[in-house]
Amino acid sequence: MTLVRYNAMNSIFKAAISPGELMFLVWRIATNQGSLQPVPKGWQPYFWLICAKSQEIIGPYETCKNWGGYTLLPEWSHSVSPSVAEKSVLKNYQHNLALVFALKEINGDPNLLPNISLGFHIFNSYCDAKMTSKTTLSLLSSQHQFLPNFKCGALNTLIAVIGGLTSQISAHIGTRLSMYKIPQLTYGSFSPVQGNQLLLPSMYQMVPNEAIQYIGVIRLVHHFRWTWIALCAQEDDSGDRFMEVLVPMLSENDICVAFTARLPAQKYVANDGNDFLRHKEFFATYFDNKANVWFVYGEDSSMLSLRIVLLVMPFFSYPPVHKVWIVTCHWDFASVSGQRLWDIETFHGALSIAVHSNQPPGFNRFLQSVSPSWAKGDGFIQDFWEQAFSCALKLSTVQGDNKEMCTGEEKLDSIPVILFEMSMTGHSYNVYNAVYAVAHALHAIYVSTFKHRSMGKWRILEFYNVQPWQLHHFLRSIKFNNTAGDTVCFDENGELNVGFDVTNWVTFPNGSFARVKVGRLDPRAPPGKELTLNDYQIVWHRTFNQVVPLSVCNERCPPGYSKKKKEGEKFCCYDCAPCPEGTISQDEDMVVCMKCPLDQHANNKKNECIPKVFSFLSYKEILGIALALLSIFFSVITALVLGIFIKNQETPIVKANNRSLTYILLISLLLCFLCSLLFIGRPSQVICLLRQTAFGIVFSVALSSVLAKTITVVLAFMATKPGSRIRRWFGNRMATSVVLFCSSIQAGICTLWLSTSPPFHDIDMHSTPGEIILQCNEGSATMFYSVLGYMGLLASASFTVAFFARKLPDSFNEAKFLTFSMLVFCSVWVSFLPTYLSTKGKFMVAVEIFSIMASSAGLLGCIFTPKCYIIVLRPELNTRDQLIRRKLFSLS
């Protein structure tokens, strides 16, 4: 191991580098002082340095521009070939071990393919189209020869192929195998592109359809109410297809894409640093965006590009990137040994739609037994062992290697989890199930071959000559439970009928991490119920303080507000508008406010409907109590006046004003005051029928009495003239006739009203917010205003007659008081109409009660106060002589 050290700004950056590792060193040079220690012989110069002033990356033996007269020449670094880089992904070695472990179990199972052993051969695809095609063709050739389509010499029977890990590799393999109808079981995600549909009949996918992942991500985003997310996809056909499919799906589900970014999908990422420098402001805009959720679609190579960008950013004084990363099942922390020191804290709390995995019994014990000597035919274990433990095996042929020698007793569980995991990963689990699927298909052929036939040796030879295409029928119909207890079967599209796991990546300061299963994505669940999530198990990035992160374009609208679209912005960006009167929004980000039920209304915050209160003029409230007491008070006063007049009925002043009309008027006024009590209290059907009609008839009697009094005054004066014929009309009969006639007209109007459109009990839920008004509906507004109009006609007639009689001699004249009383009456009821029409509910009732009592009190006070004053306080004036000699009412 060689220690490389570079001094910059009085700080020391150290990195352990060994030959055969893929390592990128990036230093920010602030001064021209520094030195590089001598380099071991044979290392190739391929290295970046970042110039201080020009902020550019320079290559081997290049100089910085504007370096202040000084030149700094990087002396060395190294890179690796694609084959070394491919083999350097240590985690992928578990795929090989899962295959071996499955075959070991199958060959030792007496109930599965008895007396038959399965063999295997593992080829490296190198993640390269040409090399993958060449490797695939070599499967179809004789041993140690490259002659596809020819059987030369001994040729092992090829039954099925398991691979590959990526869509690109699977497509290249399938292109060759589909011509021979050889079953291919892909253990990584495969997205068939246009023109590759012909591969599907021979292909079986151990990973469910990719579209299910998209549905899962949408459900996940909806679950946490994220509406503003970023999309990041690898820069190839599959990334283009990802964008074309997912962006419309997000829009349909009310999720906005803040921006999209593309990652290189190439295996060689040496230029990623230069790409970052050329677009560093662009990257800074990305990471500074309000989108806290990034959905990343990419395979290991493109994810490596993202990790390099995140690694380089701090050297340009950019703050750490703390986001919620959502990744698909394509990606894993597939680090080579040189990246074991890379910080993965950025991905703490990431959520992954991962391939479903389980732990077959005995797999961990099997891994503990792995050693360089366990399988001499393993061509991968040397490279794996040397990189995993940073040592050299005895069989290593590398010259000039300064590594320590491996003992061969090293244990896999001592390898950092970032490089190798002891629990079976999702892709390894797919390899394990794929091997078992082929074995069960062969077993089905084995059983069907010997079921109805004799057990001759030629039948066994016939089974050994099974052709690959014969497996398709059995693979499509197999269904079995593996040793981990999971059911394995394919659907009609050749995709494994299983869901995904939702895993939470928890990283630790020592560079290790843990996958925590926090949910399940089941494509067979009802729509909308595909995702099951345990929120309490999720660990978020430390910067979020274990609070569910927000990822929205703007702050959510609180309850009581609704969203209002911003012109020129995406639909996820909006303003918040208060809910209109009578509507509410109980949740955040409501599109429209909802109306409350008729019997409820919105509270002040407009976030809840509360029951409306019943409103009517009650005896329990101050207004109702005051009006009731006032009504009783005037009733008592009227009764006292009536009692005074009855007691003094033989006195001249009582006789002079027609006793019978006076009694009728006082009794009608008493009933008017008592009638106002019908308007107080909870309305009922009987009360609604009585109160307006009773008020109209009683008031008409009172007004008819006043009219009869004024007519009596006029006739009394005219009857005193010599030769007048009016004397015979003068008397009680005439006054009674006037009262009966005028009152009967009002009674007829009320009878017609009750027989056609009677008043009824009604509920008004709209006039007053927050109240249900219990009221009496008048039934017919025409009849109601007819009653009022007729009373107005009587009042006008009384006022007119009294007005013209006001100058008659005082001895006979009561007209002045009648005129003033009618003036008060008319003023009250003229004011009543606009006030009545402009109020609602109990206040409208209160206005009518006040008008009844005010007009009745006006009649009582103006007509009877002077008479009571003489009768009670000045009885000496209540004589016939005084009545003739003096003005009757000149005392005021």
Side-chain angles (χ1 to χ4, degrees), residues 68-97:
Y70 293 94
T71 301
L72 181 65
L73 299 177
E75 298 183 12
W76 60 270
S77 180
H78 78 282
S79 64
V80 295
S81 65
S83 61
V84 175
E86 171 67 21
K87 291 187 289 183
S88 298
V89 181
L90 303 182
K91 280 193 177 183
N92 291 350
Y93 185 64
Q94 194 192 84
H95 306 165
N96 302 359
L97 298 178

Short mmCIF file of all heavy atoms in Angstrom, two decimals, residues 68-97:
data_model
loop_
_atom_site.label_atom_id
_atom_site.label_comp_id
_atom_site.label_asym_id
_atom_site.label_seq_id
_atom_site.Cartn_x
_atom_site.Cartn_y
_atom_site.Cartn_z
N GLY A 68 -0.12 33.04 -11.75
CA GLY A 68 0.75 34.01 -11.10
C GLY A 68 2.22 33.77 -11.39
O GLY A 68 3.08 34.06 -10.58
N GLY A 69 2.55 33.27 -12.60
CA GLY A 69 3.94 33.03 -12.98
C GLY A 69 4.47 31.69 -12.57
O GLY A 69 5.61 31.37 -12.87
N TYR A 70 3.69 30.92 -11.87
CA TYR A 70 4.15 29.61 -11.44
C TYR A 70 3.38 28.52 -12.18
O TYR A 70 2.24 28.70 -12.57
CB TYR A 70 3.93 29.43 -9.93
CG TYR A 70 4.80 30.34 -9.10
CD1 TYR A 70 4.29 31.57 -8.69
CD2 TYR A 70 6.09 29.99 -8.75
CE1 TYR A 70 5.07 32.44 -7.93
CE2 TYR A 70 6.86 30.84 -7.99
CZ TYR A 70 6.35 32.07 -7.58
OH TYR A 70 7.12 32.90 -6.85
N THR A 71 3.99 27.40 -12.31
CA THR A 71 3.36 26.26 -12.97
C THR A 71 3.44 25.05 -12.05
O THR A 71 4.50 24.76 -11.50
CB THR A 71 4.07 25.93 -14.29
OG1 THR A 71 4.00 27.07 -15.12
CG2 THR A 71 3.39 24.76 -14.98
N LEU A 72 2.35 24.40 -11.90
CA LEU A 72 2.31 23.18 -11.09
C LEU A 72 1.99 22.02 -12.01
O LEU A 72 0.96 21.99 -12.66
CB LEU A 72 1.25 23.27 -9.99
CG LEU A 72 1.14 22.05 -9.08
CD1 LEU A 72 2.41 21.86 -8.28
CD2 LEU A 72 -0.05 22.18 -8.15
N LEU A 73 2.89 21.08 -12.10
CA LEU A 73 2.71 19.92 -13.00
C LEU A 73 2.36 18.70 -12.16
O LEU A 73 3.16 18.30 -11.31
CB LEU A 73 3.99 19.65 -13.80
CG LEU A 73 4.44 20.79 -14.71
CD1 LEU A 73 5.75 20.41 -15.38
CD2 LEU A 73 3.40 21.07 -15.76
N PRO A 74 1.21 18.12 -12.36
CA PRO A 74 0.94 16.85 -11.68
C PRO A 74 1.87 15.78 -12.24
O PRO A 74 2.03 15.66 -13.44
CB PRO A 74 -0.52 16.58 -12.03
CG PRO A 74 -0.75 17.33 -13.28
CD PRO A 74 0.15 18.52 -13.26
N GLU A 75 2.44 15.01 -11.36
CA GLU A 75 3.43 14.05 -11.80
C GLU A 75 2.85 12.68 -12.09
O GLU A 75 3.37 11.95 -12.92
CB GLU A 75 4.54 13.93 -10.74
CG GLU A 75 5.28 15.25 -10.54
CD GLU A 75 6.40 15.08 -9.55
OE1 GLU A 75 6.73 13.93 -9.21
OE2 GLU A 75 6.96 16.08 -9.10
N TRP A 76 1.76 12.30 -11.38
CA TRP A 76 1.26 10.94 -11.60
C TRP A 76 -0.14 10.78 -11.04
O TRP A 76 -0.61 11.52 -10.22
CB TRP A 76 2.17 9.90 -10.94
CG TRP A 76 2.26 10.12 -9.45
CD1 TRP A 76 3.17 10.87 -8.80
CD2 TRP A 76 1.38 9.60 -8.46
NE1 TRP A 76 2.93 10.87 -7.47
CE2 TRP A 76 1.82 10.09 -7.21
CE3 TRP A 76 0.26 8.77 -8.48
CZ2 TRP A 76 1.21 9.79 -6.01
CZ3 TRP A 76 -0.35 8.47 -7.29
CH2 TRP A 76 0.13 8.98 -6.06
N SER A 77 -0.76 9.81 -11.50
CA SER A 77 -1.94 9.19 -10.91
C SER A 77 -2.15 7.91 -11.68
O SER A 77 -1.26 7.46 -12.38
CB SER A 77 -3.16 10.10 -11.01
OG SER A 77 -4.26 9.44 -10.43
N HIS A 78 -3.33 7.35 -11.62
CA HIS A 78 -3.54 6.12 -12.37
C HIS A 78 -5.02 5.96 -12.67
O HIS A 78 -5.88 6.57 -12.05
CB HIS A 78 -3.04 4.91 -11.59
CG HIS A 78 -3.98 4.48 -10.50
ND1 HIS A 78 -4.05 5.15 -9.30
CD2 HIS A 78 -4.89 3.48 -10.45
CE1 HIS A 78 -4.95 4.57 -8.53
NE2 HIS A 78 -5.49 3.55 -9.21
N SER A 79 -5.33 5.15 -13.62
CA SER A 79 -6.71 4.75 -13.91
C SER A 79 -6.71 3.25 -14.13
O SER A 79 -5.66 2.61 -14.14
CB SER A 79 -7.24 5.48 -15.15
OG SER A 79 -6.49 5.10 -16.28
N VAL A 80 -7.89 2.69 -14.34
CA VAL A 80 -7.98 1.25 -14.52
C VAL A 80 -8.74 0.98 -15.80
O VAL A 80 -9.47 1.80 -16.31
CB VAL A 80 -8.71 0.60 -13.33
CG1 VAL A 80 -7.91 0.75 -12.07
CG2 VAL A 80 -10.10 1.20 -13.15
N SER A 81 -8.57 -0.20 -16.28
CA SER A 81 -9.25 -0.62 -17.50
C SER A 81 -10.68 -1.01 -17.17
O SER A 81 -11.01 -1.25 -16.02
CB SER A 81 -8.53 -1.82 -18.11
OG SER A 81 -8.62 -2.92 -17.23
N PRO A 82 -11.53 -1.07 -18.19
CA PRO A 82 -12.91 -1.45 -17.93
C PRO A 82 -13.03 -2.80 -17.26
O PRO A 82 -13.89 -3.00 -16.40
CB PRO A 82 -13.54 -1.46 -19.32
CG PRO A 82 -12.68 -0.54 -20.13
CD PRO A 82 -11.30 -0.70 -19.59
N SER A 83 -12.22 -3.73 -17.60
CA SER A 83 -12.35 -5.05 -17.00
C SER A 83 -12.06 -5.01 -15.52
O SER A 83 -12.74 -5.63 -14.71
CB SER A 83 -11.41 -6.04 -17.70
OG SER A 83 -10.06 -5.61 -17.55
N VAL A 84 -11.05 -4.23 -15.13
CA VAL A 84 -10.74 -4.13 -13.71
C VAL A 84 -11.85 -3.42 -12.97
O VAL A 84 -12.26 -3.80 -11.89
CB VAL A 84 -9.39 -3.38 -13.52
CG1 VAL A 84 -9.13 -3.16 -12.04
CG2 VAL A 84 -8.26 -4.16 -14.16
N ALA A 85 -12.39 -2.35 -13.61
CA ALA A 85 -13.47 -1.60 -12.97
C ALA A 85 -14.68 -2.48 -12.77
O ALA A 85 -15.37 -2.41 -11.76
CB ALA A 85 -13.82 -0.39 -13.82
N GLU A 86 -14.94 -3.32 -13.76
CA GLU A 86 -16.12 -4.20 -13.65
C GLU A 86 -15.95 -5.17 -12.50
O GLU A 86 -16.83 -5.36 -11.69
CB GLU A 86 -16.32 -4.94 -14.97
CG GLU A 86 -17.36 -6.04 -14.92
CD GLU A 86 -18.74 -5.50 -14.70
OE1 GLU A 86 -18.96 -4.31 -14.97
OE2 GLU A 86 -19.59 -6.27 -14.23
N LYS A 87 -14.76 -5.76 -12.42
CA LYS A 87 -14.54 -6.75 -11.37
C LYS A 87 -14.42 -6.09 -10.01
O LYS A 87 -14.51 -6.75 -9.00
CB LYS A 87 -13.27 -7.56 -11.68
CG LYS A 87 -13.42 -8.48 -12.88
CD LYS A 87 -12.24 -9.40 -13.05
CE LYS A 87 -11.02 -8.63 -13.52
NZ LYS A 87 -9.86 -9.51 -13.76
N SER A 88 -14.20 -4.74 -10.00
CA SER A 88 -13.98 -4.06 -8.74
C SER A 88 -15.25 -3.85 -7.95
O SER A 88 -15.20 -3.48 -6.79
CB SER A 88 -13.31 -2.70 -9.00
OG SER A 88 -12.05 -2.90 -9.62
N VAL A 89 -16.42 -4.03 -8.56
CA VAL A 89 -17.66 -3.88 -7.81
C VAL A 89 -17.85 -5.13 -6.96
O VAL A 89 -18.36 -6.15 -7.41
CB VAL A 89 -18.85 -3.66 -8.76
CG1 VAL A 89 -20.14 -3.47 -7.96
CG2 VAL A 89 -18.61 -2.47 -9.67
N LEU A 90 -17.40 -5.04 -5.73
CA LEU A 90 -17.31 -6.22 -4.88
C LEU A 90 -18.68 -6.80 -4.55
O LEU A 90 -18.83 -8.00 -4.38
CB LEU A 90 -16.56 -5.86 -3.59
CG LEU A 90 -15.14 -5.30 -3.78
CD1 LEU A 90 -14.51 -5.05 -2.43
CD2 LEU A 90 -14.28 -6.25 -4.60
N LYS A 91 -19.69 -5.94 -4.47
CA LYS A 91 -21.00 -6.44 -4.08
C LYS A 91 -21.55 -7.43 -5.10
O LYS A 91 -22.31 -8.33 -4.75
CB LYS A 91 -21.98 -5.27 -3.94
CG LYS A 91 -21.85 -4.53 -2.63
CD LYS A 91 -23.02 -3.62 -2.42
CE LYS A 91 -22.89 -2.95 -1.06
NZ LYS A 91 -24.04 -2.10 -0.79
N ASN A 92 -21.18 -7.24 -6.35
CA ASN A 92 -21.72 -8.12 -7.39
C ASN A 92 -21.23 -9.56 -7.23
O ASN A 92 -21.81 -10.48 -7.80
CB ASN A 92 -21.34 -7.61 -8.78
CG ASN A 92 -22.06 -6.32 -9.10
OD1 ASN A 92 -22.97 -5.91 -8.38
ND2 ASN A 92 -21.67 -5.66 -10.18
N TYR A 93 -20.17 -9.74 -6.48
CA TYR A 93 -19.67 -11.09 -6.27
C TYR A 93 -20.67 -11.94 -5.49
O TYR A 93 -20.70 -13.15 -5.61
CB TYR A 93 -18.33 -11.04 -5.53
CG TYR A 93 -17.67 -12.39 -5.38
CD1 TYR A 93 -17.25 -13.11 -6.49
CD2 TYR A 93 -17.48 -12.95 -4.11
CE1 TYR A 93 -16.66 -14.37 -6.35
CE2 TYR A 93 -16.89 -14.19 -3.96
CZ TYR A 93 -16.48 -14.90 -5.09
OH TYR A 93 -15.90 -16.13 -4.96
N GLN A 94 -21.54 -11.25 -4.73
CA GLN A 94 -22.55 -12.00 -3.99
C GLN A 94 -23.53 -12.68 -4.95
O GLN A 94 -24.11 -13.71 -4.62
CB GLN A 94 -23.32 -11.09 -3.02
CG GLN A 94 -24.14 -11.87 -2.00
CD GLN A 94 -25.11 -11.01 -1.24
OE1 GLN A 94 -26.21 -10.76 -1.72
NE2 GLN A 94 -24.70 -10.56 -0.06
N HIS A 95 -23.73 -12.09 -6.15
CA HIS A 95 -24.60 -12.73 -7.14
C HIS A 95 -24.06 -14.12 -7.49
O HIS A 95 -24.82 -15.08 -7.61
CB HIS A 95 -24.70 -11.87 -8.40
CG HIS A 95 -25.11 -10.46 -8.13
ND1 HIS A 95 -24.98 -9.45 -9.08
CD2 HIS A 95 -25.66 -9.86 -7.03
CE1 HIS A 95 -25.42 -8.32 -8.56
NE2 HIS A 95 -25.82 -8.54 -7.33
N ASN A 96 -22.73 -14.20 -7.68
CA ASN A 96 -22.11 -15.49 -7.98
C ASN A 96 -22.31 -16.48 -6.83
O ASN A 96 -22.64 -17.65 -7.05
CB ASN A 96 -20.62 -15.32 -8.24
CG ASN A 96 -20.33 -14.36 -9.38
OD1 ASN A 96 -21.25 -13.82 -9.99
ND2 ASN A 96 -19.05 -14.16 -9.67
N LEU A 97 -22.11 -15.98 -5.62
CA LEU A 97 -22.23 -16.85 -4.46
C LEU A 97 -23.67 -17.32 -4.28
O LEU A 97 -23.92 -18.46 -3.85
CB LEU A 97 -21.75 -16.13 -3.21
CG LEU A 97 -20.27 -15.70 -3.21
CD1 LEU A 97 -19.94 -14.95 -1.93
CD2 LEU A 97 -19.36 -16.90 -3.38
#
